[in-house]
Amino acid sequence: MTSDATTLQDKLKRVHRLLLRAYGEPVRQALDPVAELVSTILSQSTTDMLRDRAFDALRLKFPTWEQARDAPVKQVIKAIQMAGLARQKGPRIKAALQRITAERGELSLDFLADWPVDEARAWLMSIEGVGPKTAAIVLLFSLNRPAFPVDTHIHRVSTRLGLISPKTSPEKAHSSLEGLVPPKWYYSLHLNLIAHGRQVCSARRPRCELCQLSKWCDDFARRQSDNR
C-alpha cells in the first residue's frame, strides 16, 4: 500500500468515527428487494417525503406487486403522481415488475442474494431506469450485500473531504468508494454521509463552522488558505 493510500485510509477511519459520534450507528431498516427497487425508482429527482407518499399511495391502490404489474400503466402513473416525473417512473416500475416475472417466473429478487455481487449489480442495471445507485441500494439495504450507493450528498461530501477526486463522476464514485471503504462500514457510512450532507455540508452554503470533519476536509483547507 502506498503512503498516499495509507493517508487516505487513515482519513477515512477518522471521518467514519467522527460521523458515528455525530449521528450514531444507524438502525437497519429494509423493505423486501422488489419494494426497495420500486421505492428507489420513485425516489429519483424527488424528496424522501414525496417518495414515501407515492409509495404508500401505490401500495394502497395495488396491495400486491402483481396487481401493479398487471394494471394499466395510466393507473400506476396516477397513483404515484405526487412523486414527480410520474410519466417516466410509472412505465419503468411496471416494466421492471414485468421483466422480473418474465425472467424468474415470480415477482421476487431474493435470488440475487446468492449471486456474486458484480453479477447481481449487472442484472439489476440491465433493467431500464436502474442505474448504479438504485442497484446498490437494493443490494445493500434489502439483500445485505456489499455495495456502496452514492447519491448527490455522498458524492459532494466525499469530494470535499478528498476521499475521491473532484474529477470522479457519480457513476465511478461507486467503485472508487467501494474499493476504499471496508464493507462492514458501507451501511453506516452511507447513511451518515447523507445525514452530514443534509445537515452540515450542504451544496450552496456548507456550515463549515459547525463541521466535525473540517480538520480532515480538503475543501475547508483550501477555503482557509484562500482567506489568508
Side-chain angles (χ1 to χ4, degrees), residues 37 40-41 44 88 92 96 124-132 134-135:
L37 175 63
T40 308
I41 292 172
Q44 296 165 1
Q88 295 178 22
R92 285 178 179 176
L124 286 167
M125 289 177 60
S126 69
I127 299 173
E128 184 180 357
V130 176
T134 298

Side-chain angles (χ1 to χ4, degrees), residues 5 10 77 93 128 134 145 147 157 168-169:
D10 183 61
I77 291 171
I93 289 169
E128 184 180 357
T134 298
R145 305 304 306 281
V157 176
T168 304
S169 68

Side-chain angles (χ1 to χ4, degrees), residues 31-42 93 96-97 100 109 123-124 127 130 134-135 138 142:
L31 299 169
D32 73 82
V34 173
E36 192 70 70
L37 175 63
V38 173
S39 176
T40 308
I41 292 172
L42 286 171
I93 289 169
L97 298 176
I100 295 166
L109 292 173
W123 192 91
L124 286 167
I127 299 173
V130 176
T134 298
V138 173
S142 291

